[in-house]
Amino acid sequence: MALLEVKDLKVRVEEREILHGLTLTVNEGEVHAIMGPNGSGKSTLSHVIAGKPGYEVTDGQILFKGEDLLEMDPDERAAKGVFLAFQYPVEIPGVATMTFLRTALNAQRKARGEGEYSTPDFLKKVREVSKSLNIPQDMLKRGVNVGFSGGEKKRNEVLQMALFEPSLCILDEMDSGLDIDALRIAADGVNALRSPKRAMVVITHYQRLLNYIVPDFVHVMSRGRVVKSGAKDLALELEASGYAQFEDA
Amino acid sequence: MNVAVAKTGNGRAVSDLFASAEGRLPGSSAVGAVRREAFETYERLGLPHRRIEEWKYTDLRALVGEVLPLAAAPDAAALKRAAEAVKAHAIAGARKLVLVDGVFVADLSDVKTLASEVSVKTVREVLANEANHAAGDLLQTAAIDAVISLNAAMATDGVVVSVADGTHLSAPIQVIHVATAAGASAFTRSHLRIGKGVRATIVESFVAAGKASGYQVNDAVVLWIGDDADVAHIRLMDDAPDAVNVTSQFVTVGANTKLNFFNMTTGAAVSRLQGFITLAGEGSELSANGVNLLQKTEHGDTTLVVDHAVPNCVSRETFRAVIDDRAHSVFQGRIIVRPDAQKTDGKMMTRALLLSDEAEADNKPELEIFADDVSCGHGATAGALDDSLLFYLKARGLPEKQAQALLIQAFVGEAIEQIADDNLREHVIGIAERWLERRS
């Protein structure tokens, strides 16, 4: 079943068109990689799906489980199951990570008409997931991402993914700023979340990440459009030939 | 030069205010003379207005207009409503001293429990004691302005608390000012004497009972702290949204003493806290923190004058304001360093969070330094909530208001976290949360 349908999407930022008619369909259980050079519009796509302000959709639509995503506020999208793992997760001093996790989880559950998690269940779940991601307990007491290393911030994003159990995960440049060991831990966390009901869109500049999170499909973006789609081998092809061939497309 | 202004218009009503109340104001004849003199000072000055530098941002003539008549002493029905308010606002484990509409109410206070550790009298009984020739001193303060003089003239009651040298209080003392009346004024004045080596937490709460509205509070507090003491002084002003609260505090700190002062303003249409803190003994540390949470058209003013009269003291002032709608927050901080007060280390920092385009924050730091070997400074920031943080929280499922609330709590949390007592800190967080819930 189609989980995400992006149809002929045109997006502007301050009078400049960034996406010029992008189409993409992601079905349940699939992992799609979106690759492309800097400035091709990869991150814009992820921001528009998550509902970040500052982008003007001038044409096209985004359907999520058949519903018009663009009509929803970012928090409604999250409650429906859309999760964006940020390229640069923000630091929020004064908001303890645990408080944040619990508030967010319960806000999503409330929006879906589900009951709040009980404290023991919540704590048990956080402990389980954080252990598998190698996140020390004392990190959870600190302010959200405050003083976290690049790797810790990304692991914190994966922790949230595991807790919130979204049906669509968009990973925006997850590999940026990570060394190989940090990348492996984060990628293992993501792989553990792959399931027949959950889809993932992995946005990356480099093929390297796709050695760890192996996609079903690869799309190449250039100048605001998908210019080529294929199976996972396309990523290797790109690694060899580079993006230059698409620059004039 | 203000004489003509004060005598016109409400000048006449002002005289009636005192004349009609005089019979109900406690005091010997000597005290009466002090009151009359104070009232004459007030009459001459009139309510402070913007042309008086210290009141530039808080023009009481424009904001308040007139002083309301003295509230009647609470009757049985009022006391019943007050009892409910006390129950709702009492801090777990604290010992209460309750003033209702400017009158001390022993039945609502923990007089007996307190008696084992401190001495408590009422201002009324001290003033009325004909044998006490110094009673009038209770109405005298070092700093004088129109509202302080008016307080001296009109004060009906208050508490006189004395904590003997070396006492470590086993629980905080909470002075609760309850308003039950509508359209009336309460004038209170309290004296707190904290002895040498004392450890104490003193809380002052201002609350409204039931439907009390449109009332005015004019409070004065004289706090004297001896050497080697460790004192937390917390003031929580949560009066009715259409009330007026003007409070003047006169604090003297001895040597090698730690004073942690915290004020939070969450109520009243118009409020001003003016604190005059003198560091009178060497080696003392003052930490003064304030939080103004203002919404609608509320006006909240915190004015602190910290006087380093002796060498080797440290003062830190951290003030935070969260201002929504068309509210107006004022912070005036003056640090005075006297010629002898070498090695003074005095700093103040203010941060304002503006939640609306029409919110206003005024900030006036002043350093008056007469010594040459000191370290003093001030800083200020003002800004809106960070959009990137808001988006992050919303992308995680928090609706706008809840995302804002979390960030606002984080903003004021830093100041609140400094309150050491767990029950008290939870109590303060609860008041801040209720303020957040009132946001439209």
Side-chain angles (χ1 to χ4, degrees):
Chain A
M1 191 190 121
L3 193 64
L4 177 73
E5 296 164 88
V6 181
K7 296 178 183 173
D8 199 28
L9 188 70
K10 292 183 183 169
V11 174
R12 280 175 185 223
V13 177
E14 291 174 357
E15 302 302 303
R16 201 166 78 88
E17 193 169 271
I18 309 282
L19 300 181
H20 309 293
L22 184 137
T23 296
L24 176 72
T25 301
V26 177
N27 294 310
E28 281 182 339
E30 296 175 352
V31 175
H32 290 242
I34 296 183
M35 302 185 70
N38 291 330
S40 58
K42 304 185 302 285
S43 285
T44 297
L45 176 64
S46 70
H47 291 160
V48 173
I49 293 172
K52 187 173 179 175
Y55 298 91
E56 188 196 351
V57 176
T58 54
D59 205 2
Q61 60 177 169
I62 304 178
L63 299 180
F64 181 69
K65 295 175 182 170
E67 289 182 83
D68 186 354
L69 202 61
L70 295 174
E71 285 297 304
M72 299 178 204
D73 287 333
D75 54 300
E76 296 175 76
R77 301 181 196 200
K80 293 269 182 193
V82 176
F83 182 91
L84 169 66
F86 283 58
Q87 180 178 5
Y88 302 109
V90 294
E91 298 190 8
I92 313 180
V95 179
T97 305
M98 270 307 212
T99 308
F100 160 69
L101 294 175
R102 189 196 306 243
T103 309
L105 183 61
N106 283 330
Q108 292 192 20
R109 293 179 67 90
K110 191 180 166 199
R112 292 193 293 263
E114 299 165 5
E116 292 199 351
Y117 245 86
S118 78
T119 306
D121 286 354
F122 171 78
L123 291 175
K124 186 164 166 259
K125 189 153 186 186
V126 173
R127 235 176 304 202
E128 263 171 33
V129 183
S130 53
K131 201 175 168 199
S132 71
L133 285 165
N134 207 4
I135 294 174
Q137 294 299 306
D138 74 298
M139 223 169 96
L140 301 175
K141 290 176 193 149
R142 303 205 319 243
V144 176
N145 292 324
V146 176
F148 287 22
S149 69
E152 286 169 336
K153 284 180 185 169
K154 296 297 168 81
R155 263 141 59 197
N156 193 15
E157 295 290 284
V158 181
L159 167 67
Q160 293 170 47
M161 240 162 80
L163 273 181
F164 303 154
E165 301 179 13
S167 40
L168 175 67
C169 306
I170 301 159
L171 313 178
D172 188 5
E173 307 274 6
M174 196 173 125
D175 46 338
S176 68
L178 296 195
D179 60 29
I180 286 293
D181 292 331
L183 180 57
R184 188 176 290 130
I185 296 172
D188 286 349
V190 171
N191 285 326
L193 295 172
R194 291 177 76 150
S195 92
K197 283 282 172 198
R198 180 173 294 136
M200 295 188 185
V201 175
V202 182
I203 291 171
T204 181
H205 187 91
Y206 301 104
Q207 194 270 337
R208 183 181 74 159
L209 175 64
L210 305 180
N211 291 334
Y212 299 95
I213 303 173
V214 181
D216 302 306
F217 302 96
V218 174
H219 309 276
V220 182
M221 268 187 82
S222 177
R223 300 190 174 187
R225 284 191 187 87
V226 172
V227 291
K228 189 166 186 182
S229 296
K232 63 184 172 197
D233 298 342
L234 180 57
L236 294 168
E237 240 174 78
L238 282 170
E239 182 79 349
S241 57
Y243 291 118
Q245 54 176 316
F246 301 109
E247 291 287 274
D248 301 320
Chain B
M1 117 184 181
N2 299 311
V3 173
V5 182
K7 284 291 183 190
T8 57
N10 65 4
R12 199 65 58 196
V14 156
S15 302
D16 295 346
L17 174 75
F18 188 60
S20 63
E22 210 174 352
R24 292 179 42 215
L25 301 174
S28 58
S29 51
V31 169
V34 174
R35 286 188 188 278
R36 266 190 299 281
E37 193 185 329
F39 194 79
E40 280 161 20
T41 302
Y42 168 71
E43 237 187 344
R44 197 174 65 244
L45 298 173
L47 276 177
H49 52 85
R50 64 182 182 279
R51 289 188 301 282
I52 294 169
E53 185 56 27
E54 289 81 3
W55 292 83
K56 183 175 160 186
Y57 299 107
T58 301
D59 185 330
L60 287 187
R61 284 195 197 171
L63 291 164
V64 175
E66 58 166 353
V67 176
L68 297 170
L70 194 64
D75 58 16
L79 288 175
K80 195 166 169 247
R81 291 199 302 280
E84 284 164 20
V86 167
K87 213 170 153 191
H89 296 279
I91 295 159
R95 280 146 192 185
K96 303 180 294 291
L97 292 170
V98 178
L99 293 149
V100 179
D101 297 332
V103 177
F104 181 75
V105 180
D107 287 349
L108 296 176
S109 306
D110 299 318
V111 180
K112 279 200 183 115
T113 337
L114 273 166
S116 63
E117 290 186 345
V118 301
S119 141
V120 179
K121 288 180 189 160
T122 68
V123 164
R124 177 170 289 268
E125 66 181 295
V126 175
L127 289 178
N129 182 358
E130 288 286 351
N132 185 349
H133 300 296
D137 289 356
L138 226 51
L139 300 176
Q140 311 277 17
T141 51
I144 290 287
D145 68 13
V147 297
I148 298 165
S149 296
L150 183 62
N151 180 282
M154 302 285 290
T156 49
D157 212 343
V159 292
V160 180
V161 176
S162 179
V163 187
D165 291 356
T167 309
H168 290 190
L169 286 188
S170 56
I173 296 176
Q174 185 184 15
V175 180
I176 309 180
H177 294 255
V178 187
T180 73
S185 284
F187 297 88
T188 45
R189 174 170 289 233
S190 293
H191 279 247
L192 309 163
R193 190 192 175 283
I194 311 289
K196 193 176 171 178
V198 166
R199 287 189 185 188
T201 296
I202 313 281
V203 185
E204 298 173 87
S205 300
F206 291 84
V207 301
K211 295 191 189 88
S213 67
Y215 59 87
Q216 297 177 351
V217 173
N218 182 331
D219 182 47
V221 179
V222 178
L223 171 61
W224 184 91
I225 306 171
D227 299 345
D228 306 309
D230 190 344
V231 175
H233 178 203
I234 285 109
R235 177 177 177 274
L236 305 169
M237 200 283 284
D238 198 21
D239 268 313
D242 58 357
V244 174
N245 184 310
V246 178
T247 295
S248 310
Q249 297 184 335
F250 308 89
V251 182
T252 308
V253 181
N256 302 310
T257 280
K258 273 191 186 171
L259 171 61
N260 259 299
F261 173 65
F262 176 83
N263 176 65
M264 188 162 80
T265 297
T266 47
V270 177
S271 68
R272 157 112 154 185
L273 165 66
Q274 45 180 4
F276 305 90
I277 304 173
T278 303
L279 296 167
E282 287 193 44
S284 286
E285 283 175 39
L286 164 71
S287 166
N289 297 293
V291 174
N292 269 7
L293 299 177
L294 304 172
Q295 53 183 279
K296 311 235 163 43
T297 56
E298 290 165 2
H299 177 109
D301 174 343
T302 304
T303 294
L304 292 179
V305 179
V306 174
D307 188 345
H308 283 263
V310 296
N312 297 312
C313 288
V314 177
S315 65
R316 287 285 175 277
E317 295 168 58
T318 309
F319 181 78
R320 280 175 171 72
V322 179
I323 316 154
D324 201 0
D325 306 321
R326 290 159 57 207
H328 184 182
S329 179
V330 177
F331 177 74
Q332 303 186 103
R334 183 188 299 170
I335 299 176
I336 303 167
V337 182
R338 302 285 170 186
D340 289 343
Q342 301 294 1
K343 305 289 179 193
T344 286
D345 178 357
K347 304 221 165 39
M348 60 183 147
M349 179 72 207
T350 71
R351 292 177 65 194
L353 183 56
L354 302 162
L355 298 177
S356 121
D357 291 342
E358 292 175 284
E360 186 178 339
D362 284 302
N363 185 33
K364 192 171 80 175
E366 289 176 289
L367 301 177
E368 288 180 14
I369 301 173
F370 301 102
D372 54 12
D373 184 13
V374 303
S375 164
C376 288
H378 61 83
T381 64
L385 284 173
D386 186 325
D387 283 335
S388 65
L389 303 191
L390 272 178
F391 175 63
Y392 188 83
L393 294 175
K394 285 192 275 186
R396 295 299 178 253
L398 272 70
E400 176 85 24
K401 283 283 162 193
Q402 212 183 342
Q404 288 187 0
L406 206 56
L407 295 178
I408 294 166
Q409 277 173 297
F411 180 79
V412 298
E414 227 177 303
I416 295 176
E417 286 307 312
Q418 297 184 16
I419 298 171
D421 185 285
D422 291 340
N423 287 332
L424 181 52
R425 194 174 55 250
E426 286 306 313
H427 180 83
V428 173
I429 290 169
I431 297 173
E433 283 174 350
R434 284 199 294 281
W435 181 86
L436 286 166
E437 284 161 16
R438 283 203 299 274
R439 286 185 68 209
S440 48

